[in-house]
Amino acid sequence: MKVTKFGGSSLANAFQIQKVCDIVLSDDSRRIMVVSAPGKRTKDDTKVTDLLIAVAEARLSGRDYSKELSAVLARYIEIADELNIQKVIPSIEEKLIRICKADFKDNVTYTDSVKAMGEDCCAQLVAYHLNAAGHPAKYCDPWEYGLFLEHDAAGKAVILDESYDNLSRLKEETDTINVFPGFYGYSKNKEIITFSRGGSDITGSILAAAVDAEVYENWTDVDNVFAVNPNIVKNPFPITEITYDEMRELSYAGFTVLHEEAIYPVFSHSIPLNIKNTNNPSAKGTWIVAKRTHFDSLVTGIAGESGFATVTVNKYLMNHQVGFLASLLGIFADEGIAIDHIPSGIDTVTIVLRKKYFTKEKEDVIVRRIEAELGAKCSVEHDLAIVMIVGQAMANSVGIMARAASALSNAGINLRIVNQGASEISMMFGLSESYCSYAVRVLYKELFRY
Ligand code: ASP
């Protein structure tokens, strides 16, 4: 059994939805489809999820949200008209309106429930279309199938383990195409919880793991994952094969083809993941696997991402003070802040974290506590980018760090942090945000001899 997940650009209009259905119907083992919400039809269009966020924002600020809601509905009406399945609209409309005007407990829960409707309505529509064309299909309600989520300490949606068992029943349901909405699940109290943006990738991975799929196909709008962001370097080297670990490192630092959290479920069940192009189904795509069968290049990919802050803590004789680091990290844990890296010296330690979680209020509390409780000096900077060079073939090869560092130094880029894990599959550079894309270009030129 194959699990197929289709992204928003693959479902943006009737023409794309027809392609998606043709892809599924062309292979009998494609029994589970996970759908995103319809994405952009043109460059300047708005994704349905963003339209829904606008609905939620309007309602939460006490404004009339009917204009925003009509914009959402118009997207589904347009698709239904073109597919000649207008009869699906009343049930989509009823659910959408019901969710949008429901009473709510708090802003986050309400926004999640509205945001999830993009995927939900899309799954209803696709299942209806398949049935109307004579192919047995059904919409799968994540509540009925037991896709249970909860929020972790940092507020992130995480799966409850029992969900895998619950969802495994889809394995037996092979007489229909099962159309599952991506991006969301339910709390045990039946409240909708969404993953972070792009989270339908995670749903697909969870379902693939639950049914022990032979492959998880993630259909998008590019032929391959590329060795570097094509918006930074023109026509970059395509990646035909990559390990879960390599992909995880690259997604961490900004590869957006696949959600960072989508790797773990398939990785933990050793299910290969194939990224494919809805607009060019015969292309082989990129295979994400446990073990590489071949290497096309020494370096697999280079990624760069802005949006990091550093908290540098300084205390004379820090290395002699037993428990100093534990107390320092305890402060971040108390404030619910995840830490990305901890480069350290003898009397200093730097905590690298994501700015989006490090609000001004959190920063003030943390700095105050470090100074008061640890008697240390503390300085915060907000302009760090992280650039990663990733490649399994780099292990045991001599001189890559030297080449990378001298290329960056010749380009006049100052390195603030340098880190190479003992596994040697990646190297990380911390540098000023304003140099992020430039650094990626410089490294690509050097390491891919471009
Ligand atoms: N529709 C959601 C988003 O735009 C989730 C997804 O497409 O995976 O982020």
Side-chain angles (χ1 to χ4, degrees), residues 5 7-8 36-37 47 49-50 115 119 183 196-201:
K5 179 264 165 181
S36 285
K47 294 178 178 188
T49 306
D50 290 309
K115 263 195 302 191
E119 275 65 15
F183 193 36
S196 54
R197 294 300 299 268
S200 300
D201 286 343

Side-chain angles (χ1 to χ4, degrees), residues 186-226:
Y186 280 89
S187 71
K188 282 304 199 68
N189 301 329
K190 211 176 176 184
E191 279 156 353
I192 286 180
I193 297 181
T194 57
F195 292 114
S196 54
R197 294 300 299 268
S200 300
D201 286 343
I202 310 174
T203 313
S205 183
I206 288 169
L207 288 178
V211 302
D212 204 13
E214 97 191 57
V215 56
Y216 169 31
E217 293 180 338
N218 190 292
W219 292 81
T220 174
D221 51 11
V222 284
D223 277 355
N224 292 91
V225 176
F226 294 101

Side-chain angles (χ1 to χ4, degrees), residues 380-400:
V380 180
E381 287 180 273
H382 296 98
D383 66 335
L384 190 81
I386 283 187
V387 172
M388 309 274 293
I389 303 172
V390 177
Q392 194 141 69
M394 296 192 317
N396 303 315
S397 5
V398 177
I400 299 174

Side-chain angles (χ1 to χ4, degrees), residues 181-317:
F183 193 36
Y184 80 97
Y186 280 89
S187 71
K188 282 304 199 68
N189 301 329
K190 211 176 176 184
E191 279 156 353
I192 286 180
I193 297 181
T194 57
F195 292 114
S196 54
R197 294 300 299 268
S200 300
D201 286 343
I202 310 174
T203 313
S205 183
I206 288 169
L207 288 178
V211 302
D212 204 13
E214 97 191 57
V215 56
Y216 169 31
E217 293 180 338
N218 190 292
W219 292 81
T220 174
D221 51 11
V222 284
D223 277 355
N224 292 91
V225 176
F226 294 101
V228 71
N229 183 342
N231 297 323
I232 298 181
V233 172
K234 243 179 153 182
N235 297 325
F237 203 76
I239 300 176
T240 55
E241 193 185 57
I242 182 170
T243 64
Y244 301 117
D245 292 346
E246 289 174 308
M247 192 63 205
R248 156 89 182 105
E249 303 245 4
L250 290 167
S251 320
Y252 165 78
F255 267 38
T256 52
V257 177
L258 190 69
H259 194 295
E260 188 193 349
E261 291 162 46
I263 313 239
Y264 184 72
V266 280
F267 157 77
S268 58
H269 289 71
S270 295
I271 295 165
L273 196 162
N274 189 197
I275 298 199
K276 289 190 59 88
N277 189 354
T278 301
N279 306 316
N280 185 15
S282 58
K284 287 202 171 67
T286 298
W287 282 90
I288 307 177
V289 293
K291 220 169 158 2
R292 300 274 297 255
T293 58
H294 63 279
F295 292 95
D296 299 322
S297 51
L298 190 59
V299 171
T300 305
I302 302 170
E305 185 152 85
S306 299
F308 292 86
T310 53
V311 180
T312 299
V313 179
N314 187 279
K315 186 164 186 203
Y316 195 59
L317 295 179

Side-chain angles (χ1 to χ4, degrees), residues 312-316 318 324 347-349 370 375-379:
T312 299
V313 179
N314 187 279
K315 186 164 186 203
Y316 195 59
M318 179 193 283
F324 183 89
D347 288 334
T348 60
V349 53
I370 291 173
K377 281 206 209 96
C378 188
S379 63

Side-chain angles (χ1 to χ4, degrees), residues 157-177:
V158 290
I159 186 160
L160 298 186
D161 277 345
E162 66 186 86
S163 307
Y164 287 102
D165 271 351
N166 300 340
L167 293 163
S168 67
R169 82 176 218 234
L170 277 163
K171 217 179 339 195
E172 317 308 327
E173 302 182 8
T174 51
D175 48 348
T176 57
I177 296 167

